[in-house]
Amino acid sequence: ALVRSVAGALWRTEACAWPFVRECALVFDDRSIIHVSPQLTSSLAVPTERRIIKALRDSLVAPKSVSGIRIKTHAAIHELDEQSQIEAAEKAFCAVLSKRSAINVVCLLHEDFPIELPVFGHDLKAGGGGQTENMHVLMVLGTVRDMTIAEQKAILNVCSKRKLRLVGCNLGRAPEFTSKILHALNCHALNGRLASALDALPPVGEWGALKKLAPTHRSVNKAG
């Protein structure tokens, strides 16, 4: 499931990355992070499950041995209270952003958000306004499992501290495989509609997103 998400995020076709993706970052429960860049698509032309797992394993055994993969590990996190969980998640998200990051918009994705990404039924074109020309977006969503409340709060805190614009939306109310969502986002970007659609979303604070982040129904496993 995790492998299919990585493939969906980076590979457009054999040995060819999606043109607008700069990195796929996987944040784990212990706050270890695997950074996978489009460079991997050149050395690993066909993203089969076996090949991607082998590349990840080789990177764990010998850091920097696989071009396009960087791994930052942490000691195991034991039982923490909610505030400690939030602080640990904040550190992980700050590591994803990094001080050199050009990201200026963060978008949370979940089918229970009240607003759908407005890519259909609107005359939206990428670069149509000053807000979209220099937009660098971090898309945040759960794979294998949904984000926890602590992780969601951590994103809110990090965006507030860094003065990053935070939005949230769904791509339809039905739970979908994460890989399918990632493919859809890449296709919207390729067709020049993603940036303007994101620019049309109101900031999270305007519609009380934090209260909406908890699923309103029992979600199925959306990994994949």
Side-chain angles (χ1 to χ4, degrees):
L2 192 66
V3 168
R4 290 193 295 272
S5 295
V6 172
L10 295 175
W11 276 262
R12 181 184 179 190
T13 59
E14 183 176 325
C16 178
W18 290 102
F20 299 105
V21 176
R22 296 294 174 263
E23 181 180 81
C24 172
L26 306 170
V27 181
F28 293 86
D29 287 344
D30 66 354
R31 305 311 170 206
S32 294
I33 305 171
I34 297 180
H35 301 265
V36 188
S37 76
Q39 190 175 1
L40 183 63
T41 63
S42 298
S43 58
L44 202 162
V46 181
T48 64
E49 183 174 356
R50 181 177 181 179
R51 289 175 177 175
I52 293 180
I53 288 177
K54 182 180 184 301
L56 295 174
R57 182 196 63 193
D58 291 347
S59 295
L60 284 167
V61 173
K64 299 182 180 180
S65 64
V66 179
S67 179
I69 298 179
R70 293 184 298 112
I71 297 178
K72 184 176 182 179
T73 59
H74 285 276
I77 295 178
H78 301 290
E79 292 297 323
L80 299 175
D81 57 41
E82 183 181 13
Q83 184 56 39
S84 296
Q85 291 178 29
I86 293 173
E87 291 173 358
E90 282 186 32
K91 291 180 181 179
F93 292 129
C94 284
V96 170
L97 290 167
S98 80
K99 293 181 179 180
R100 299 184 303 276
S101 174
I103 289 169
N104 49 27
V105 178
V106 176
C107 179
L108 290 168
L109 291 158
H110 194 278
E111 69 268 12
D112 286 329
F113 278 121
I115 301 175
E116 184 171 341
L117 185 67
V119 290
F120 300 114
H122 298 270
D123 184 18
L124 298 174
K125 295 181 180 179
Q131 295 291 333
T132 64
E133 292 174 358
N134 297 306
M135 184 181 289
H136 300 274
V137 186
L138 173 65
M139 310 297 295
V140 184
L141 70 165
T143 182
V144 178
R145 66 163 176 78
D146 286 334
M147 293 178 67
T148 65
I149 295 298
E151 289 164 347
Q152 295 159 0
K153 288 181 178 178
I155 285 287
L156 290 171
N157 292 345
V158 170
C159 289
S160 177
K161 292 175 181 177
R162 295 198 173 204
K163 294 180 171 54
L164 298 175
R165 183 167 177 265
L166 176 64
V167 297
C169 63
N170 68 67
L171 269 70
R173 292 305 311 274
E176 298 284 0
F177 289 123
T178 302
S179 55
K180 181 177 179 180
I181 295 297
L182 295 170
H183 270 290
L185 291 171
N186 274 312
C187 286
H188 290 322
L190 194 64
N191 286 288
R193 302 180 69 83
L194 182 60
S196 292
L198 290 169
D199 190 48
L201 292 171
V204 157
E206 292 184 10
W207 48 272
L210 192 56
K211 296 179 181 178
K212 299 289 185 179
L213 289 174
T216 57
H217 59 275
R218 187 174 182 82
S219 298
V220 298
N221 188 326
K222 305 200 309 309

